[in-house]
Amino acid sequence: MYIVFEGIDGAGKSTQIQMLKEWLEANGLEVETLVEPTDSEVGKLIRKILQRPDATTDRVQKTLGLLFAADRMLIMDKLEDEKKVIISDRSFISSLAYQEPAEWIAILNKYAKKPDLLILLDLDVKTSVARTSGEDTFENEEFLTGVRENYLKLAENFEHEIINANNGINKVSSDIKKAVASKVGLCPDCVR
Ligand code: TYD
């Protein structure tokens, strides 16, 4: 089972993944979590480039598209464990939402694994900007408005659930558990 969390910056992905992980483990499931960009050499380089003022220009976006695909390729084997629920903080769907052009990003990610379930944490863009540090060049309203729209369209291509991430942390968490429960053989009506 490969579950991917996506959403614009500040949507609460890492907090919610931790809460879901603890709940699944309390229900006897084995869980592994992953984060993209990873902490590999490529991931470190990506984080540096994200802080460049020109990170949203076409040239740097194309470079990032290549690097994100390479970083992802390095962890491909971790997604093959059939016994575990693998939860990932971002995936190639981030590249499709943030980088352009779409056809080229799709080619670069030809071998990326498709999620069994996509959880899209949908957050208001103004809230996103207020919540983030503004350290990365992507963390601005105009850019993230486009990314959010891309996500809502992209979600249609996958088995997905759109969760309203403007709600309080516990409400968001229980909405996620309800969406995940039946997929992993747990009872959706038992989620509070
Ligand atoms: P993020 O998850 O926000 O990391 P942090 O919590 O350390 O800020 O990821 C960093 C940024 O990378 C984020 O703005 C989204 C962007 N990103 C892409 O543009 N394309 C991708 O393929 C991925 C995985 C991330």
Side-chain angles (χ1 to χ4, degrees):
M1 186 79 204
Y2 176 44
I3 302 174
V4 162
F5 276 63
E6 292 283 354
I8 58 175
D9 306 66
K13 294 183 294 298
S14 56
T15 308
Q16 291 297 338
I17 286 171
Q18 190 54 35
M19 290 168 89
L20 177 64
K21 178 179 196 279
E22 282 165 19
W23 180 73
L24 292 172
E25 285 174 344
N27 282 284
L29 291 158
E30 215 180 321
V31 181
E32 168 127 1
T33 57
L34 300 171
V35 183
E36 291 191 27
T38 72
D39 60 0
S40 73
E41 295 86 341
V42 182
K44 290 189 182 108
L45 179 57
I46 289 172
R47 289 190 189 280
K48 253 195 212 164
I49 295 179
L50 284 173
Q51 287 171 23
R52 285 170 62 139
D54 60 352
T56 54
T57 59
D58 185 54
R59 184 174 45 86
V60 181
Q61 278 286 53
K62 287 205 172 86
T63 306
L64 282 167
L66 288 161
L67 291 174
F68 279 119
D71 185 41
R72 187 165 297 132
M73 195 78 86
L74 286 172
I75 56 162
M76 246 171 64
D77 56 331
K78 293 200 177 162
L79 307 180
E80 299 307 325
D81 196 328
E82 301 278 321
K83 296 187 299 288
K84 288 182 185 163
V85 178
I86 297 161
I87 309 177
S88 185
D89 186 333
R90 298 193 181 275
S91 69
F92 75 103
I93 301 169
S94 284
S95 284
L96 290 169
Y98 283 74
Q99 275 77 48
E100 285 181 331
E103 315 81 69
W104 189 61
I105 298 298
I107 292 168
L108 293 181
N109 289 281
K110 185 176 169 192
Y111 298 106
K113 192 176 164 84
K114 315 273 175 301
D116 298 304
L117 177 64
L118 161 64
I119 301 282
L120 177 56
L121 296 186
D122 185 38
L123 180 72
D124 183 71
V125 173
K126 283 197 166 46
T127 313
S128 161
V129 173
R131 279 187 193 174
T132 53
S133 62
E135 254 172 45
D136 291 351
T137 316
F138 292 171
E139 294 170 354
N140 76 77
E141 202 173 315
E142 191 192 343
F143 183 77
L144 291 179
T145 299
V147 174
R148 177 172 176 255
E149 283 164 11
N150 290 343
Y151 267 136
L152 292 168
K153 280 188 226 133
L154 285 164
E156 300 299 325
N157 300 316
F158 306 93
E159 168 97 35
H160 72 278
E161 201 71 45
I162 297 172
I163 305 283
N164 183 352
N166 300 291
N167 288 324
I169 191 166
N170 291 323
K171 163 76 175 140
V172 173
S173 181
S174 74
D175 287 349
I176 292 169
K177 288 171 193 163
K178 279 179 198 146
V180 170
S182 57
K183 303 266 163 220
V184 295
L186 300 173
C187 158
D189 296 332
C190 307
V191 178
R192 274 176 292 123

